[in-house]
Amino acid sequence: MDAEKSLVARLDELARRCERSGRETYTRFLDPAQVEKAVWAAGRAGVRAQAFGGYPDAERTVCRFFLDETEVPDWPFCCLQARWDARYASITHRDVLGALMGLGVVRETIGDIVVRDGQVFVFAMCDVADYVAANLERAGRAALHFRRTEELPEIPPPAGRLFRETVASLRLDAVLAAAYRISRADASEAIREGKVRVNFIEEMRPDAPLGADALLSVRGLGRVRLKAVDGPTRKGRIAIALFRYE
Protein backbone atom coordinates (compact mmCIF):
# COMPACT_ATOMS: atom_id res chain seq x y z
CA MET A 1 0.00 0.00 0.00
CA ASP A 2 1.48 3.36 -1.00
CA ALA A 3 1.74 6.28 1.41
CA GLU A 4 -1.38 8.09 0.16
CA LYS A 5 -3.59 4.99 0.30
CA SER A 6 -2.24 4.22 3.76
CA LEU A 7 -3.08 7.74 4.95
CA VAL A 8 -6.63 7.59 3.53
CA ALA A 9 -7.19 4.21 5.19
CA ARG A 10 -5.97 5.59 8.51
CA LEU A 11 -8.19 8.66 8.27
CA ASP A 12 -11.20 6.49 7.39
CA GLU A 13 -10.48 4.26 10.38
CA LEU A 14 -10.27 7.22 12.79
CA ALA A 15 -13.47 8.80 11.44
CA ARG A 16 -15.39 5.53 11.63
CA ARG A 17 -14.10 4.84 15.13
CA CYS A 18 -15.53 8.21 16.17
CA GLU A 19 -18.87 7.39 14.53
CA ARG A 20 -19.07 3.98 16.24
CA SER A 21 -17.97 5.06 19.72
CA GLY A 22 -19.32 8.60 19.82
CA ARG A 23 -15.91 9.71 21.14
CA GLU A 24 -13.66 12.19 19.41
CA THR A 25 -10.53 10.92 17.68
CA TYR A 26 -7.43 12.78 16.51
CA THR A 27 -4.91 12.47 13.72
CA ARG A 28 -1.22 13.27 13.84
CA PHE A 29 -0.09 16.52 12.18
CA LEU A 30 -1.29 16.89 8.59
CA ASP A 31 -0.42 19.30 5.81
CA PRO A 32 -3.28 21.22 4.14
CA ALA A 33 -3.68 18.69 1.32
CA GLN A 34 -3.95 15.89 3.88
CA VAL A 35 -6.49 17.88 5.89
CA GLU A 36 -8.73 17.90 2.80
CA LYS A 37 -8.56 14.10 2.78
CA ALA A 38 -9.49 14.09 6.48
CA VAL A 39 -12.56 16.24 5.74
CA TRP A 40 -13.60 13.79 3.02
CA ALA A 41 -13.14 10.89 5.46
CA ALA A 42 -15.36 12.67 7.98
CA GLY A 43 -18.05 13.09 5.34
CA ARG A 44 -17.93 9.40 4.42
CA ALA A 45 -18.31 8.43 8.09
CA GLY A 46 -21.03 10.97 8.87
CA VAL A 47 -18.99 12.84 11.49
CA ARG A 48 -17.54 16.32 11.73
CA ALA A 49 -13.95 17.46 11.31
CA GLN A 50 -11.97 20.35 12.76
CA ALA A 51 -8.31 21.18 12.13
CA PHE A 52 -6.09 23.19 14.48
CA GLY A 53 -2.35 23.63 14.74
CA GLY A 54 -1.92 25.65 17.91
CA TYR A 55 -2.43 29.17 16.56
CA PRO A 56 -4.42 30.91 13.80
CA ASP A 57 -3.11 30.28 10.29
CA ALA A 58 -0.98 27.29 11.29
CA GLU A 59 -0.04 25.32 8.20
CA ARG A 60 0.42 21.90 9.77
CA THR A 61 -2.59 20.94 11.86
CA VAL A 62 -4.13 18.05 13.77
CA CYS A 63 -7.60 17.02 12.62
CA ARG A 64 -10.26 16.16 15.16
CA PHE A 65 -13.21 13.91 14.29
CA PHE A 66 -16.24 14.50 16.52
CA LEU A 67 -20.03 14.35 16.72
CA ASP A 68 -21.07 16.97 19.29
CA GLU A 69 -20.11 20.64 18.86
CA THR A 70 -20.34 21.15 22.64
CA GLU A 71 -17.34 18.91 23.27
CA VAL A 72 -14.20 20.76 24.36
CA PRO A 73 -11.25 19.63 22.21
CA ASP A 74 -8.41 17.92 24.04
CA TRP A 75 -5.74 18.56 21.44
CA PRO A 76 -2.94 15.97 21.74
CA PHE A 77 -0.10 18.39 21.09
CA CYS A 78 1.77 21.07 22.97
CA CYS A 79 4.19 23.88 22.24
CA LEU A 80 7.90 23.91 23.03
CA GLN A 81 9.69 27.24 23.24
CA ALA A 82 13.36 28.21 23.27
CA ARG A 83 15.31 31.46 23.07
CA TRP A 84 18.77 32.19 21.76
CA ASP A 85 21.02 35.21 21.57
CA ALA A 86 20.52 36.52 18.04
CA ARG A 87 23.68 38.63 18.37
CA TYR A 88 25.86 35.54 18.13
CA ALA A 89 23.90 33.10 15.96
CA SER A 90 21.23 33.00 13.31
CA ILE A 91 18.96 30.02 12.75
CA THR A 92 16.21 29.20 10.29
CA HIS A 93 13.21 26.91 10.06
CA ARG A 94 15.38 24.51 8.06
CA ASP A 95 18.02 24.40 10.82
CA VAL A 96 15.45 23.44 13.44
CA LEU A 97 13.71 20.89 11.21
CA GLY A 98 17.06 19.32 10.33
CA ALA A 99 17.98 19.04 14.01
CA LEU A 100 14.63 17.38 14.75
CA MET A 101 15.03 14.88 11.93
CA GLY A 102 18.54 14.19 13.24
CA LEU A 103 16.94 13.03 16.49
CA GLY A 104 14.93 10.45 14.55
CA VAL A 105 11.64 12.26 15.13
CA VAL A 106 8.91 11.30 12.65
CA ARG A 107 7.66 14.29 10.65
CA GLU A 108 4.00 13.63 11.39
CA THR A 109 4.67 14.19 15.11
CA ILE A 110 5.87 17.76 14.49
CA GLY A 111 3.63 20.64 13.51
CA ASP A 112 4.69 24.17 12.65
CA ILE A 113 8.15 25.43 13.51
CA VAL A 114 8.12 29.19 14.01
CA VAL A 115 11.33 31.22 14.25
CA ARG A 116 10.74 34.83 15.33
CA ASP A 117 12.85 37.51 17.03
CA GLY A 118 15.25 35.26 18.92
CA GLN A 119 12.58 32.69 19.77
CA VAL A 120 11.74 29.26 18.39
CA PHE A 121 8.34 27.63 18.82
CA VAL A 122 7.94 23.94 17.98
CA PHE A 123 4.49 22.37 18.04
CA ALA A 124 4.82 18.64 18.81
CA MET A 125 2.59 15.73 19.69
CA CYS A 126 2.58 15.29 23.46
CA ASP A 127 4.03 11.78 23.26
CA VAL A 128 7.27 13.08 21.72
CA ALA A 129 7.45 16.57 23.27
CA ASP A 130 9.45 15.55 26.34
CA TYR A 131 11.95 13.63 24.20
CA VAL A 132 12.41 16.65 21.95
CA ALA A 133 12.78 19.04 24.88
CA ALA A 134 15.40 16.82 26.51
CA ASN A 135 17.46 16.16 23.39
CA LEU A 136 17.17 19.11 21.01
CA GLU A 137 20.04 21.23 22.29
CA ARG A 138 21.29 22.94 19.14
CA ALA A 139 20.10 24.07 15.71
CA GLY A 140 22.63 25.51 13.32
CA ARG A 141 25.13 27.38 15.51
CA ALA A 142 22.63 28.30 18.21
CA ALA A 143 22.48 26.53 21.56
CA LEU A 144 18.86 25.95 22.58
CA HIS A 145 17.04 24.91 25.73
CA PHE A 146 13.41 23.99 25.10
CA ARG A 147 10.61 23.96 27.64
CA ARG A 148 6.88 23.35 27.38
CA THR A 149 4.76 26.46 27.47
CA GLU A 150 1.95 26.48 30.01
CA GLU A 151 -0.52 27.75 27.42
CA LEU A 152 -0.47 27.89 23.64
CA PRO A 153 1.39 31.08 22.73
CA GLU A 154 0.34 34.00 20.59
CA ILE A 155 2.56 33.63 17.54
CA PRO A 156 3.75 36.88 15.93
CA PRO A 157 2.60 37.32 12.33
CA PRO A 158 5.01 36.12 9.63
CA ALA A 159 7.57 38.52 8.27
CA GLY A 160 7.28 39.57 4.67
CA ARG A 161 6.19 42.27 2.28
CA LEU A 162 2.77 43.15 0.91
CA PHE A 163 2.73 44.54 -2.62
CA ARG A 164 0.29 45.07 -5.47
CA GLU A 165 0.39 44.05 -9.12
CA THR A 166 -1.92 43.83 -12.10
CA VAL A 167 -2.32 40.70 -14.22
CA ALA A 168 -4.05 39.88 -17.47
CA SER A 169 -5.89 36.96 -15.84
CA LEU A 170 -5.92 34.84 -12.71
CA ARG A 171 -4.21 31.96 -14.48
CA LEU A 172 -1.40 30.42 -12.47
CA ASP A 173 1.33 31.38 -14.94
CA ALA A 174 0.19 35.02 -15.03
CA VAL A 175 0.01 35.40 -11.24
CA LEU A 176 3.27 33.52 -10.77
CA ALA A 177 5.09 35.84 -13.17
CA ALA A 178 3.83 38.90 -11.30
CA ALA A 179 4.49 37.44 -7.85
CA TYR A 180 8.10 36.47 -8.51
CA ARG A 181 8.96 39.16 -11.07
CA ILE A 182 9.82 36.61 -13.76
CA SER A 183 8.67 36.26 -17.34
CA ARG A 184 5.48 34.39 -18.08
CA ALA A 185 7.49 31.93 -20.17
CA ASP A 186 9.76 31.21 -17.19
CA ALA A 187 6.71 30.81 -14.96
CA SER A 188 5.16 28.30 -17.38
CA GLU A 189 8.43 26.37 -17.57
CA ALA A 190 8.68 26.14 -13.77
CA ILE A 191 5.10 24.84 -13.65
CA ARG A 192 5.70 22.18 -16.31
CA GLU A 193 8.90 21.08 -14.53
CA GLY A 194 6.93 20.34 -11.36
CA LYS A 195 8.55 23.12 -9.31
CA VAL A 196 5.30 24.87 -8.38
CA ARG A 197 2.82 24.10 -5.64
CA VAL A 198 -0.55 25.70 -5.00
CA ASN A 199 -1.81 25.27 -1.45
CA PHE A 200 0.93 22.64 -0.94
CA ILE A 201 -0.21 20.53 -3.90
CA GLU A 202 1.91 20.24 -7.05
CA GLU A 203 0.22 22.02 -9.94
CA MET A 204 1.41 21.39 -13.52
CA ARG A 205 -1.28 23.32 -15.41
CA PRO A 206 -0.16 26.84 -16.43
CA ASP A 207 -3.81 27.78 -16.94
CA ALA A 208 -4.98 26.59 -13.50
CA PRO A 209 -7.30 29.28 -12.06
CA LEU A 210 -6.43 30.92 -8.75
CA GLY A 211 -8.56 32.56 -6.11
CA ALA A 212 -7.90 34.86 -3.19
CA ASP A 213 -5.82 33.36 -0.38
CA ALA A 214 -4.05 30.84 -2.62
CA LEU A 215 -0.57 30.01 -1.32
CA LEU A 216 2.03 29.69 -4.07
CA SER A 217 5.52 28.24 -3.77
CA VAL A 218 8.26 27.82 -6.33
CA ARG A 219 11.20 25.59 -5.53
CA GLY A 220 14.16 27.82 -4.74
CA LEU A 221 12.16 31.06 -4.81
CA GLY A 222 10.09 30.91 -1.62
CA ARG A 223 6.40 31.45 -0.99
CA VAL A 224 3.83 34.07 -1.93
CA ARG A 225 0.17 34.34 -0.91
CA LEU A 226 -2.47 35.85 -3.17
CA LYS A 227 -4.06 38.01 -0.48
CA ALA A 228 -6.79 39.72 -2.49
CA VAL A 229 -8.30 40.13 -5.93
CA ASP A 230 -9.39 43.75 -6.18
CA GLY A 231 -11.09 43.82 -9.56
CA PRO A 232 -10.44 45.26 -13.02
CA THR A 233 -8.36 48.35 -13.71
CA ARG A 234 -9.18 51.01 -16.28
CA LYS A 235 -7.01 49.15 -18.76
CA GLY A 236 -8.96 45.92 -18.26
CA ARG A 237 -6.35 44.16 -16.15
CA ILE A 238 -6.98 42.57 -12.74
CA ALA A 239 -5.55 44.23 -9.63
CA ILE A 240 -4.21 41.82 -7.03
CA ALA A 241 -2.48 42.05 -3.64
CA LEU A 242 0.37 39.65 -2.88
CA PHE A 243 2.31 38.85 0.29
CA ARG A 244 5.90 37.66 -0.14
CA TYR A 245 7.15 35.68 2.86
CA GLU A 246 10.71 36.25 3.99
Side-chain angles (χ1 to χ4, degrees):
M1 184 181 294
D2 63 29
E4 183 171 350
K5 289 181 180 179
S6 179
L7 172 66
V8 170
R10 176 60 175 163
L11 294 174
D12 281 337
E13 193 276 331
L14 285 171
R16 288 169 181 158
R17 186 193 305 171
C18 171
E19 189 277 330
R20 290 193 304 268
S21 68
R23 297 180 178 179
E24 59 190 13
T25 57
Y26 294 87
T27 68
R28 295 290 201 170
F29 281 104
L30 306 173
D31 65 32
Q34 293 169 331
V35 169
E36 287 191 17
K37 292 181 174 62
V39 172
W40 296 338
R44 288 191 292 270
V47 299
R48 308 175 74 172
Q50 177 188 15
F52 181 57
Y55 68 101
D57 301 323
E59 292 177 4
R60 293 180 61 81
T61 57
V62 166
C63 193
R64 165 195 178 220
F65 298 113
F66 66 104
L67 294 175
D68 187 353
E69 185 65 55
T70 62
E71 293 177 355
V72 178
D74 184 19
W75 298 105
F77 61 82
C78 60
C79 181
L80 303 173
Q81 181 182 10
R83 298 177 183 272
W84 83 96
D85 194 330
R87 295 175 298 175
Y88 304 111
S90 176
I91 62 175
T92 66
H93 176 283
R94 181 175 297 180
D95 293 327
V96 180
L97 179 59
L100 285 164
M101 297 301 99
L103 294 177
V105 176
V106 179
R107 187 66 180 101
E108 67 182 12
T109 64
I110 301 297
D112 278 11
I113 300 166
V114 183
V115 181
R116 296 274 197 283
D117 303 326
Q119 298 186 82
V120 183
F121 301 94
V122 175
F123 292 87
M125 301 300 291
C126 292
D127 56 3
V128 303
D130 289 341
Y131 172 78
V132 171
N135 292 279
L136 186 57
E137 299 177 341
R138 181 171 296 275
R141 296 184 177 181
L144 300 171
H145 176 66
F146 280 94
R147 61 174 181 82
R148 285 200 193 201
T149 60
E150 294 297 325
E151 298 180 354
L152 292 176
E154 293 186 9
I155 300 296
R161 180 174 66 90
L162 184 67
F163 61 101
R164 298 184 180 277
E165 290 284 350
T166 63
V167 292
S169 74
L170 292 177
R171 285 173 47 125
L172 176 57
D173 56 355
V175 176
L176 213 63
Y180 291 92
R181 308 290 172 84
I182 58 178
S183 71
R184 194 156 172 176
D186 286 344
S188 295
E189 183 178 0
I191 295 166
R192 286 191 290 266
E193 290 178 351
K195 296 180 179 180
V196 177
R197 289 178 176 266
V198 178
N199 297 328
F200 300 92
I201 300 173
E202 183 180 288
E203 179 58 77
M204 300 187 70
R205 299 172 298 157
D207 63 347
L210 297 179
D213 211 39
L215 181 64
L216 313 176
S217 63
V218 179
R219 193 183 310 151
L221 296 181
R223 297 183 301 165
V224 173
R225 188 176 293 278
L226 177 57
K227 295 290 287 185
V229 178
D230 295 330
T233 67
R234 292 181 180 180
K235 295 183 178 180
R237 292 173 65 84
I238 301 172
I240 59 175
L242 299 155
F243 185 84
R244 180 73 178 266
Y245 293 88
E246 288 187 358

